[in-house]
Amino acid sequence: MSITTTAAIAPTPLSSGDTGWVPAKPARPAHVIRDDVEALAVAAQLKPLFAAEAVERDRERRLPFAEVDLFSQSGLWGITIPNDYGGAGVSQVTLAKVFATLASGDPSLTQIAQNSFEIIDVIRLTGSEAQKRDLFGKVLAGQRLGNAFSEFKGKNVEAFETTLKPQGDGYVVKGQKFYSTGALFAHLVPIVALDEDGHVVVAVADRDASGLQVVNDWSAFGQRTTASGTVILDNVIVDAARVLPAHIVYEHPSAVGPQSQLIHAAIDAGIARGAIEATIDLVRNHARPWIDSGQARASDDPYTIAAIGDLKIKLHAAEALLERAGIQLDATIASVSEKTIGLAKIAVAEAKVLTTDIALIASSKLFELAGTRSTLGVHNLDRFWRDARTHTLHDPVRWKLHAIGQFYLNDIQPPLHSWI
């Protein structure tokens, strides 16, 4: 597939706090990617397009409307949909590589798609045949799934107050969400809610449904253009055919949690890769050698050379564990059991520890190796560290280390929840 920026829609202005904009449905069907090789090739084509204005988008907190449209029209949003439903059914190894590649160009833009893949897994594991045909078909046609999962006021990440109650032939959803990455750009908004029995369900609402408002109030210093703000659900009507019994995968052992975590780890690996690429470019073309090195070029400074070598080793180690985690996830999906779910969770947790470390190290080391001029606002190089610091807070690494230690030392399986 040949990708150009002419495939994208014109950028749409949106001010902070705006709730009125709703994305138009695609004027034409999205490209359908057929296999892993094509998925990786399309990601490689998109990366420079994502990177082209990443500096300006971050500086201005300018939302990537045109780029998101290009992203979903490329077919990448549907690559994990099974072959039986028209998708490529790519491996988890490929999925991680796609996200790492794209995130090295622009991690904020890349993260917008992340939650769509978790919902695709939920649909695959809990949806009826009719629901799969309907929702998978819409994604393959270019409609985007967003997310209205997390809540700001609960005592922990699993304390939900959003409710789903029967009304007529369907249901009514009421509540408020935050960290709603992807919802602003979505055509369909999956909402996590509690039914009357207290079970977790996912209700897939139309983005333009009455009572559903997406507020552009994301103010974090990193991942600035993910629009991960508030979703207000004021008695939103959802058809019964669009409600998924998601508690099946969240209350019992399933690969949905580690699959979602794998993508987060891949985004962190991409941030690290992008930071190291920027560092190498700066050292080669802009940095000055330190006076005591006796060298004419910064790239000949022996300490700088060693530091670049150290960064590359750490990055390659993280990427190797990311690939290993993907391999284990593929094996787990092929043969699901409590034991294999545990193996997948631990493998992904190990990768997440290293991708977190290298993202933070690389995005900080950049300034040490490139020198004082690298801190000038015109370069906006602090975006790498801000993105790394913000995104790696998604779930605490300290608890991953605890779960990993418990697994190997005391034969204790990791928790069932989706954050490991």
Side-chain angles (χ1 to χ4, degrees):
M1 180 189 181
S2 179
I3 299 173
T4 65
T5 53
T6 57
I9 59 174
T12 304
L14 194 70
S15 60
S16 178
D18 195 333
T19 62
W21 181 81
V22 175
K25 292 180 181 177
R28 64 185 187 280
H31 174 70
V32 177
I33 290 173
R34 296 301 178 188
D35 55 31
D36 295 64
V37 173
E38 186 182 4
L40 293 170
V42 171
Q45 284 185 277
L46 281 180
K47 174 190 170 178
L49 300 179
F50 280 19
E53 296 184 9
V55 172
E56 292 78 15
R57 285 194 299 270
D58 175 87
R59 180 185 290 117
E60 300 164 11
R61 207 180 283 270
R62 170 161 53 88
L63 298 181
F65 295 100
E67 292 79 8
V68 169
D69 188 68
L70 186 68
F71 192 1
S72 56
Q73 285 294 108
S74 76
L76 284 176
W77 286 52
I79 57 175
T80 57
I81 291 173
N83 297 127
D84 290 346
Y85 299 91
V90 304
S91 70
Q92 296 296 303
V93 172
T94 293
L95 183 63
K97 288 180 178 178
V98 164
F99 267 83
T101 297
L102 297 175
S104 66
D106 185 343
S108 287
L109 174 51
T110 301
Q111 191 188 341
I112 289 167
Q114 188 271 329
N115 292 291
S116 177
F117 288 86
E118 181 172 353
I119 289 300
I120 286 171
D121 289 328
V122 171
I123 297 167
R124 180 176 62 84
L125 293 170
T126 71
S128 66
E129 189 65 20
Q131 287 173 321
K132 292 176 187 178
R133 296 287 175 190
D134 174 39
L135 295 170
F136 287 161
K138 284 179 167 56
V139 173
L140 289 172
Q143 292 194 39
R144 296 185 288 266
L145 293 168
N147 116 70
F149 302 167
S150 296
E151 299 183 10
F152 198 76
K153 299 178 181 178
K155 64 180 180 180
N156 60 50
V157 293
E158 288 194 324
F160 299 117
E161 296 180 358
T162 300
T163 59
L164 176 138
K165 295 180 180 180
Q167 180 170 301
D169 295 332
Y171 292 90
V172 60
V173 183
K174 186 174 184 179
Q176 185 167 310
K177 300 290 186 176
F178 196 62
Y179 305 115
S180 302
T181 307
L184 181 67
F185 306 94
H187 303 103
L188 298 166
V189 181
I191 304 161
V192 172
L194 298 178
D195 67 14
E196 290 190 307
D197 296 321
H199 292 307
V200 172
V201 297
V202 169
V204 183
D206 291 325
R207 172 69 172 80
D208 59 359
S210 177
L212 193 159
Q213 288 185 306
V214 181
V215 185
N216 179 32
D217 59 352
W218 178 242
S219 61
F221 61 65
Q223 295 295 91
R224 287 180 169 182
T225 60
T226 58
S228 302
T230 299
V231 173
I232 298 170
L233 306 160
D234 184 11
N235 295 315
V236 176
I237 302 299
V238 179
D239 192 284
R242 291 280 184 83
V243 177
L244 301 161
H247 57 91
I248 294 173
V249 296
Y250 293 127
E251 296 173 2
H252 303 89
S254 85
V256 169
Q259 284 173 282
S260 177
Q261 286 288 310
L262 184 76
I263 296 176
H264 283 297
I267 291 171
D268 294 334
I271 294 171
R273 190 187 302 174
I276 293 171
E277 289 173 354
T279 303
I280 290 173
D281 175 69
L282 287 163
V283 170
R284 284 176 175 171
N285 300 307
H286 302 286
R288 295 187 297 182
W290 183 241
I291 188 171
D292 295 327
S293 71
Q295 301 297 326
R297 301 183 307 172
S299 56
D300 291 328
D301 184 316
Y303 294 110
T304 299
I305 292 170
I308 293 295
D310 183 59
L311 288 173
K312 279 289 191 176
I313 290 169
K314 287 181 169 66
L315 175 63
H316 292 160
E319 290 175 335
L321 280 194
L322 192 64
E323 182 170 7
R324 171 177 171 265
I327 291 170
Q328 178 58 62
L329 257 174
D330 286 325
T332 295
I333 293 166
S335 179
V336 176
S337 68
E338 186 173 348
K339 179 180 179 181
T340 62
I341 294 294
L343 290 171
K345 283 175 172 280
I346 294 302
V348 174
E350 291 178 21
K352 189 71 161 56
V353 169
L354 288 199
T355 58
T356 294
D357 285 348
I358 186 56
L360 293 171
I361 292 168
S363 58
S364 178
K365 199 75 171 177
L366 183 158
F367 299 102
E368 178 185 335
L369 299 181
T372 305
R373 64 183 62 189
S374 65
T375 66
L376 297 177
V378 66
H379 302 304
N380 196 28
L381 292 169
D382 58 308
R383 73 185 187 280
F384 291 107
W385 183 87
R386 288 187 284 101
D387 287 342
R389 182 64 285 175
T390 300
H391 187 258
T392 55
L393 295 175
H394 182 271
D395 39 82
V397 164
R398 62 187 181 276
W399 278 99
K400 295 186 187 300
L401 292 168
H402 177 266
I404 293 164
Q406 287 282 56
F407 181 80
Y408 289 118
L409 182 62
N410 296 319
D411 297 319
I412 295 175
Q413 289 291 314
L416 285 178
H417 64 63
S418 294
W419 286 269
I420 187 168

